[in-house]
Amino acid sequence: MITALSHSFLHMLLPLALAPLLLSVINRTKAIVAGRNGQVLLQPYYDLAKLLRKGAVYSHTTTWVFRAGPVVGLAAVIVATTLVPFGGASAAVSFAGDLILFAYLLGLLRFVTVIAALDTGSSFEGMGASREVTFSALAEPALLLALAAVARQTGSLSLTTMYAGVTGATWTHAAPVFALVAGALMVVFLTENARMPVDDPTTHLELTMIHEVMVLDHSGPDLAFIVYGSALKLWVLGVLLVGLVVPIHSGNAWADSIVGFAGLLGLAVVTGIIESSMARWRLTRVPQLLVGACVLSTLALVLMLR
């Protein structure tokens, strides 16, 4: 009983404490590839602390929807972290069908961000909201079909038991399916987290902005909630990919957690290398990339059903 409680506590504490570090590793990797020293690894924590100390500024054109967006979005993604198994151990909360709730929680985060952007009445933020909704309409099927393929392979609809069933032995006879699912999840990971080649989190050019344009009017603690929620979203989607590619289940919670976190750091380094080696794609090509992810997920599911 005590061991189970300690595992649940570890599951809650790790993403809350270490998720911003993934953003720092991505930025440091991009700096190293560009020949720069880059920011210190704790810079995201300093930025969050600075934003929390500031006051928020609200336009007279906004309503309670604008103020509620960051709070509801952060709450949704925190609940989503409790559903994702990490490091070979069970999630803090698990039940049959929790993968559907997980997808809906991420959808709720996106929904409140979009309506908060639309509540400003700005056509600029409406443009970003339109792009976000368009791309998410293709990313969500890719995510659900990929999880459905893993669920079919493992015979479970719970994320915990699904990922417990992904082992080295499972890979030996289902490698093509898992490789297709991993490819689809990688595209979803980059898209949902507004990374290259779908979006550029550092740009402020009108023609290329998606996520950043939706949060331009947020400030102070509200912006801190959005940045922190984005880091947690990066963590939970990364855990889904790392848990599939690095299926380590030694039985030691601490050792498995270290391996899982090392996998997330490796994924952050890969993301930084991708962003350093390629430019952002034209908006007309992004749907083609997402349709490709849907095709990969569908093929994986068909291979499992045949």
Side-chain angles (χ1 to χ4, degrees):
M1 181 66 178
I2 295 178
T3 303
L5 290 176
S6 65
H7 289 177
S8 299
F9 179 74
L10 188 64
H11 267 284
M12 291 298 300
L13 183 62
L14 282 178
L16 295 178
L18 300 178
L21 191 60
L22 299 181
L23 297 174
S24 184
V25 172
I26 293 175
N27 293 332
R28 177 60 72 87
T29 302
K30 293 166 64 177
I32 292 174
V33 173
R36 296 181 283 108
N37 290 329
Q39 302 172 340
V40 296
L41 289 176
L42 296 180
Q43 187 61 47
Y45 297 93
Y46 297 151
D47 293 340
L48 289 173
K50 180 180 67 177
L51 290 172
L52 289 174
R53 289 197 300 269
K54 291 187 175 181
V57 178
Y58 299 104
S59 168
H60 294 296
T61 63
T62 59
T63 67
W64 64 270
V65 174
F66 181 80
R67 302 187 182 205
V71 178
V72 176
L74 179 59
V77 74
I78 288 177
V79 175
T81 60
T82 65
L83 301 175
V84 180
F86 174 71
S90 301
V93 178
S94 65
F95 53 88
D98 57 9
L99 63 91
I100 303 297
L101 176 60
F102 174 77
Y104 271 96
L105 287 170
L106 295 186
L108 176 60
L109 166 62
R110 182 183 308 106
F111 174 73
V112 295
T113 304
V114 166
I115 62 172
L118 294 176
D119 192 56
T120 63
S122 167
S123 58
F124 191 36
E125 298 200 23
M127 175 198 68
S130 173
R131 292 172 178 175
E132 174 80 8
V133 171
T134 301
F135 295 154
S136 65
L138 296 173
E140 282 186 356
L143 174 63
L144 289 174
L145 287 171
L147 293 178
V150 180
R152 174 67 179 178
Q153 169 63 34
T154 57
S156 172
L157 290 176
S158 171
L159 288 172
T160 293
T161 49
M162 280 168 53
Y163 276 82
V166 179
T167 62
T170 314
W171 264 91
T172 57
H173 65 269
V177 173
F178 287 158
L180 291 170
V181 170
L185 289 180
M186 185 66 191
V187 174
V188 172
F189 173 81
L190 296 175
T191 303
E192 292 284 355
N193 291 299
R195 314 303 307 193
M196 293 279 195
V198 177
D199 194 8
D200 185 353
T202 62
T203 186
H204 284 84
L205 297 176
E206 179 181 354
L207 294 178
T208 61
M209 294 171 69
I210 301 176
H211 177 75
E212 284 297 306
V213 71
M214 292 193 300
V215 301
L216 275 180
D217 280 3
H218 290 286
S219 59
D222 291 341
L223 185 57
F225 292 165
I226 291 173
V227 173
Y228 187 54
S230 299
L232 289 174
K233 187 178 181 182
L234 186 78
W235 176 283
V236 295
L237 289 173
V239 165
L240 291 183
L241 180 57
V242 171
L244 181 69
V245 178
V246 190
I248 303 298
H249 307 286
S250 68
N252 186 309
W254 291 100
D256 289 348
S257 296
I258 292 174
V259 173
F261 184 61
L264 283 176
L265 293 179
L267 179 60
V269 171
V270 170
T271 304
I273 293 175
I274 290 175
E275 296 197 355
S276 301
S277 58
M278 64 189 307
R280 186 189 182 284
W281 284 10
R282 289 184 300 174
L283 288 175
T284 54
R285 292 188 60 189
V286 174
Q288 299 173 6
L289 176 67
L290 294 173
V291 169
C294 290
V295 171
L296 292 178
S297 299
T298 305
L299 284 175
L301 187 58
V302 170
L303 287 175
M304 290 309 309
L305 294 176
R306 68 187 173 87

